[in-house]
Amino acid sequence: MNETVTQTNSCGIHCKGIRGQLLTFKADPFLCREGECHDYLSDGLIVIQDGRIIDVGDYGTTIKRYPGLNETDTYSDALILPGFIDCHAHYVQAPVIGSSGNTLLKWLDRYVFPMESRFRDKIFADEVAREFMAEMLTQGTTTANVFSTTFATSVDAIFEESERYNTRMITGKVLQDRNISDSLKDESAEESILLTEKLLKKWHHRGRQLYAIIPRFAPTSTPRQLELAGELYQRYMDRGVYMHTHLDEVQSEIDWVTQLFPDQPNYTEVYKHFGLVGGLSVMAHCCIVREEEWQTLHDNECGVAHCPSSNLFLGDGEFKYWEAKEQSRPVRVGMGTDVGGGTSLSILRQIGEAYKVAMMHGRSLDIMKSLYMATRGGAEALHLEHTIGSIASGYEADLTVLDLKPDRFAAWRLNFAESITEKLFVLSAIAPGLTVKATYVAGRKVYDRERKRPLMYASDPDIS
Ligand code: GUN
Ligand code: ZN
C-alpha cells in the first residue's frame, strides 16, 4: 500500500520522493559482464524535482541529504523500474487488436486498412487515441514510437492526447501512395511530403512530442515517395526527427520487395538507397535478416523493435536476438507491442512472448536482458538513452511500479520464487492483467491503480 510520509521541507519547491525496491540498467547485458550492467536496491529512494530525477540511492543514506523531503510515495511488495518503452505500435489498430485468421498481407487488407480509413474522422481518432493512451499507461509504458495513418487528423489526435499526459510520443503521418486501398492512399508523393513537413513543424519538440517520417513499408510507397521521404529525413535528422518503418518481417513481404526493387541486393538496401537509413531510423520486426543487413543496421546505429507477440500472432517469423546482438556488430534493440498485430499493450507480456520465441530456437532469454530491452535498450534504439530509460540523476522521471502481489494466485505463486530476478521472470511469464501499480510521467503519477480516478492528466490540479 502507498503511504505518504510528511516531513519539514528543505528540499526546494516541488521536491518529491519515491521509495521502494528498484532496478535500473546502466549498460547492455548482452555485451557487458553479468552483475556490471544493472543497479538493484532493496530499499531505494528516488528524489524528483521539476519532472527530473535529481538523486537516487539507498534510502538510509539518500534521505539524509534531503531531510526536508515533504512528500514520499512508498511502495512495498513492488518493484520500481524505468517506464517501459514501446518502440513500435500502431495506435490506429487498437480497435482491431486480436482479429483472427490471416497472414500479414491478408490481415492488413481484411482488418487494418478498413479500420485505418476511419481516421479521417477526428472524433473517432480522438476516441481511439484516448483508449490507446489509457491502456498504454495502465501497462506502465511511458514512451511510445507509434504509427498514426495517412491523415493529419490521426496525427493530431494522438499528439494532443499525449500532450495532456506529458508523455513522450513519437509519431507522424504514414506515407503510402501505392498498393493500398484508395481510402488510405496519398494523393501524390509530393503532397504527402508537404503534409509531413507541415505536421513536423507543428509537433516536433512541442513539449515532449517528437516527429517521425513514416513510410509504412517499401511496398506501399512509390520510389518517388521514398526518395522525397529520404530527402526530408536527411534535412531534419540532426534536429532529432525519426524515420520509422517495417523491415524483414515475413518472407512473403521480402519476396514482394525483391520483385518491386530488383536492383537492390536486399530489403535494407532499398531504404538505404533512398536515404532512409540513419541513426534515428527505427525498423520494426527484423525477423529474417541477412548478415549484410545486420552490418548495415549496426554501422548506421539504427534501432530495431522486437515485436514478439505480433510475430507469433501473425505467424511471421522469429526475431533472433543472438544474431542482432552478435558481439562484433551489435544492434540497438528495444521491445515493441506492434498492436494491433501484437495482442497486448503490455511490454511485460512482450517479455514473456520474447522468451517463447527464443525457445523455439532452443535459446533461453534471460529476464535481465529482456527487461533491458524494455527500458534502457528501448531508449538506446531511439537514441534517447541519456534522457529516459534509466533511474539516475538527470534523467526524466518516467517510472513504472510493478506489483509483486498483483492478484491472489500470482502472489501465492511468487511465494515459491526466491530472488527478485526469479520473481520478475515468473511475472513476465504469467503477466496478470493489472500488474502495474502506478505509472509516473515526468514525476507525475498519471496512473494509480488504487486511486479513485486511476488515470489523470498531468495538468489535473488534483494529481500528485
Ligand atoms: N507491414 C506493413 N504494415 C504493417 C502493419 O500495419 N503491421 C505489421 N505487423 N506489419 C506491417
Ligand atoms: Zn507494425
Side-chain angles (χ1 to χ4, degrees), residues 88-90 93 147 246 249 284-285 307 310 338-339:
H88 177 69
H90 302 249
Q93 295 176 15
F147 271 48
H246 296 91
E249 181 176 1
H285 300 293
C307 308
S310 171
D338 193 31
V339 161

Side-chain angles (χ1 to χ4, degrees), residues 88 90 92-93 104-105 107-108 112-113 116 147 174 176 180 215-220 245-247 249-250 253 267 284-285 307 310-311 314 316 338-342:
H88 177 69
H90 302 249
V92 290
Q93 295 176 15
L104 172 67
L105 301 176
W107 175 83
L108 289 172
V112 170
F113 297 156
E116 292 195 15
F147 271 48
V174 174
Q176 34 199 0
I180 196 146
R216 179 175 212 111
F217 64 161
T220 46
T245 192
H246 296 91
L247 175 66
E249 181 176 1
V250 62
E253 167 212 21
Y267 196 165
H285 300 293
C307 308
S310 171
N311 296 158
L314 296 171
D316 288 338
D338 193 31
V339 161

Side-chain angles (χ1 to χ4, degrees), residues 86-387:
D86 187 342
C87 289
H88 177 69
H90 302 249
Y91 96 85
V92 290
Q93 295 176 15
V96 292
I97 186 172
S99 296
S100 85
N102 244 313
T103 50
L104 172 67
L105 301 176
K106 291 182 187 151
W107 175 83
L108 289 172
D109 279 338
R110 174 153 169 211
Y111 300 106
V112 170
F113 297 156
M115 175 50 67
E116 292 195 15
S117 301
R118 297 183 60 183
F119 284 74
R120 261 182 215 282
D121 174 359
K122 180 67 164 39
I123 293 171
F124 183 68
D126 286 340
E127 179 198 327
V128 178
R130 253 192 323 272
E131 280 303 318
F132 178 89
M133 289 291 306
E135 180 61 9
M136 181 187 119
L137 293 164
T138 300
Q139 298 300 343
T141 297
T142 50
T143 299
N145 182 37
V146 312
F147 271 48
S148 299
T149 188
T150 312
F151 319 112
T153 40
S154 71
V155 177
D156 287 339
I158 189 73
F159 272 140
E160 284 164 13
E161 186 67 357
S162 172
E163 205 169 41
R164 290 182 196 109
Y165 285 110
N166 194 27
T167 42
R168 179 175 284 95
M169 179 62 63
I170 307 169
T171 192
K173 174 198 149 32
V174 174
L175 297 164
Q176 34 199 0
D177 69 343
R178 71 163 164 174
N179 293 325
I180 196 146
S181 57
D182 285 346
S183 54
L184 278 181
K185 201 183 287 175
D186 288 312
E187 276 173 27
S188 69
E190 286 73 14
E191 172 274 342
S192 70
I193 298 299
L194 283 176
L195 181 54
T196 299
E197 193 167 10
K198 186 171 160 206
L199 287 164
L200 184 162
K201 285 182 176 161
K202 176 173 178 186
W203 285 108
H204 192 56
H205 283 312
R206 179 162 139 179
R208 301 181 87 197
Q209 314 313 312
L210 297 172
Y211 201 84
I213 297 164
I214 310 182
R216 179 175 212 111
F217 64 161
T220 46
S221 286
T222 56
R224 178 69 180 148
Q225 189 175 50
L226 293 175
E227 183 189 343
L228 292 175
E231 281 172 20
L232 193 69
Y233 179 47
Q234 295 298 325
R235 266 202 286 135
Y236 281 98
M237 196 193 308
D238 60 2
R239 282 172 260 180
V241 169
Y242 290 86
M243 196 292 296
H244 185 189
T245 192
H246 296 91
L247 175 66
D248 286 333
E249 181 176 1
V250 62
Q251 193 58 49
S252 53
E253 167 212 21
I254 298 171
D255 294 343
W256 196 13
V257 172
T258 308
Q259 205 186 315
L260 291 169
F261 300 92
D263 296 340
Q264 298 308 325
N266 60 55
Y267 196 165
T268 305
E269 284 298 314
V270 173
Y271 292 132
K272 188 154 176 274
H273 173 77
F274 292 108
L276 292 162
V277 171
L280 294 181
S281 303
V282 182
M283 310 295 193
H285 300 293
C286 295
C287 295
I288 308 165
V289 185
R290 295 193 198 164
E291 176 54 32
E292 56 271 29
E293 295 184 271
W294 285 126
Q295 188 68 52
T296 303
L297 297 173
H298 165 84
D299 291 345
N300 289 277
E301 302 191 335
C302 299
V304 165
H306 174 18
C307 308
S309 79
S310 171
N311 296 158
L312 290 171
F313 188 71
L314 296 171
D316 288 338
E318 304 89 44
F319 179 80
K320 289 137 193 115
Y321 74 78
W322 53 96
E323 288 183 7
K325 289 295 183 181
E326 163 60 43
Q327 303 269 328
S328 62
R329 43 124 196 87
V331 170
R332 296 165 180 247
V333 181
M335 300 295 282
T337 61
D338 193 31
V339 161
T343 48
S344 167
L345 274 169
S346 161
I347 289 288
L348 195 62
R349 287 215 173 143
Q350 306 308 315
I351 292 176
E353 299 301 285
Y355 180 81
K356 295 177 201 167
V357 166
M359 283 308 289
M360 285 166 72
H361 286 262
R363 306 262 184 165
S364 183
L365 177 56
D366 186 272
I367 182 67
M368 296 303 261
K369 290 180 174 153
S370 42
L371 273 173
Y372 172 79
M373 290 192 280
T375 57
R376 190 178 166 94
E380 287 194 348
L382 301 173
H383 285 257
L384 290 173
E385 69 271 25
H386 302 298
T387 313

Side-chain angles (χ1 to χ4, degrees), residues 59-78:
Y59 180 80
T61 334
T62 311
I63 191 64
K64 294 196 183 110
R65 295 198 283 273
Y66 302 92
L69 194 63
N70 66 355
E71 187 198 346
T72 300
D73 295 342
T74 301
Y75 294 97
S76 50
D77 296 319

